[in-house]
Amino acid sequence: AAGVIQSPRHLIKEKRETATLKCYPIPRHDTVYWYQQGPGQDPQFLISFYEKMQSDKGSIPDRFSAQQFSDYHSELNMSSLELGDSALYFCASSLGSQGIDIQYFGAGTRLSVL
Amino acid sequence: QKEVEQNSGPLSVPEGAIASLNCTYSDRGSQSFFWYRQYSGKSPELIMFIYSNGDKEDGRFTAQLNKASQYVSLLIRDSQPSDSATYLCAVRQGSGGYNKLIFGAGTRLAVHP
């Protein structure tokens, strides 16, 4: 079965650079979530989109923005990167319109800021 | 106080034993509860979900929910070394189909031969 696809899998950036992470949800899933997981930490919710509209917002820095496109894929844009942004970034998708709230996670993007 | 609390472990059990993982949550309005397994550097993998009070069994795994006590647990029977991982308890708040998950810090399980 198709899963959540994230790209790139690994990303190395310098401080103050920008990064764009992409997420392709499971086919027919209409809801996308972004989570950030620092070393030894639990995943922290950043932002979510339902039917291309922002549905919830968590502890996402103002330097970050995200959107969901017409094909339901989502992109997380990160600017003015800081050392503390180094983390695993997970995207998850679910079929929110059916009230089925099971979130399936992608393999993640490991971002290293040097 | 975190919204979802777990003992960080490590919880060490011998192969073939029952591993018991516990989780408490603070929001009484929470509707759905999930257990994810995460190997180091990998993504969370859904193991079980439970919505109603009582027990739910799936193979070697049993999830237990007690909403009055705001407590959810995961039992792993016949533990195998491959079960060694961090187990994340996650709680979904609200009743909509697109609510975020609040994770606990995870319990590290080590199953030794």
Side-chain angles (χ1 to χ4, degrees):
Chain A
V4 178
I5 306 296
Q6 290 188 247
S7 67
R9 292 294 312 280
H10 303 275
L11 193 56
I12 300 175
K13 291 287 184 178
E14 301 275 342
K15 280 172 54 178
R16 292 181 288 278
E17 285 190 322
T18 62
T20 297
L21 279 55
K22 297 185 179 181
C23 169
Y24 297 85
I26 292 171
R28 291 184 294 282
H29 279 195
D30 50 23
T31 309
V32 168
Y33 310 79
W34 286 97
Y35 293 87
Q36 176 192 58
Q37 187 174 29
Q41 305 294 314
D42 51 288
Q44 294 291 313
F45 171 73
L46 293 178
I47 195 167
S48 63
F49 293 88
Y50 168 64
E51 281 292 341
K52 292 152 281 185
M53 299 285 289
Q54 181 181 308
S55 54
D56 200 357
K57 193 172 181 179
S59 50
I60 183 170
D62 292 340
R63 300 177 288 108
F64 294 6
S65 65
Q67 58 182 322
Q68 186 179 32
F69 295 86
S70 59
D71 64 351
Y72 294 98
H73 94 273
S74 178
E75 295 184 4
L76 177 66
N77 298 293
M78 311 160 70
S79 63
S80 302
L81 287 169
E82 302 174 356
L83 296 178
D85 296 328
S86 296
L88 271 169
Y89 290 83
F90 292 110
C91 171
S93 74
S94 71
L95 192 55
S97 60
Q98 302 298 314
I100 300 171
D101 58 356
I102 298 173
Q103 295 183 26
Y104 295 93
F105 282 75
T109 294
R110 181 177 294 279
L111 173 65
S112 298
V113 182
L114 306 178
Chain B
Q1 182 188 8
K2 278 180 68 75
E3 295 179 65
V4 179
E5 297 270 6
Q6 292 182 256
N7 189 324
S8 62
L11 174 65
S12 182
V13 299
E15 185 174 358
I18 296 175
S20 178
L21 305 164
N22 304 314
C23 172
T24 59
Y25 59 95
S26 60
D27 184 356
R28 285 195 171 274
S30 300
Q31 300 285 320
S32 314
F33 307 86
F34 304 83
W35 284 98
Y36 285 86
R37 178 175 63 195
Q38 187 175 31
Y39 295 108
S40 181
K42 303 297 185 182
S43 61
E45 173 192 8
L46 182 67
I47 297 297
M48 293 282 291
F49 61 91
I50 187 167
Y51 300 152
S52 304
N53 277 329
D55 294 359
K56 179 181 179 183
E57 186 174 320
D58 184 1
R60 296 187 296 113
F61 300 95
T62 298
Q64 299 173 317
L65 174 62
N66 183 326
K67 288 187 178 179
S69 300
Q70 295 174 244
Y71 174 90
V72 59
S73 66
L74 179 70
L75 299 178
I76 306 175
R77 290 181 297 281
D78 189 23
S79 296
Q80 301 297 308
S82 59
D83 294 327
S84 299
T86 296
Y87 288 80
L88 297 166
C89 173
V91 174
R92 185 176 71 87
Q93 295 165 330
S95 56
Y98 40 86
N99 295 104
K100 63 181 179 285
L101 294 176
I102 306 297
F103 285 89
T107 296
R108 192 155 52 92
L109 173 65
V111 181
H112 52 86

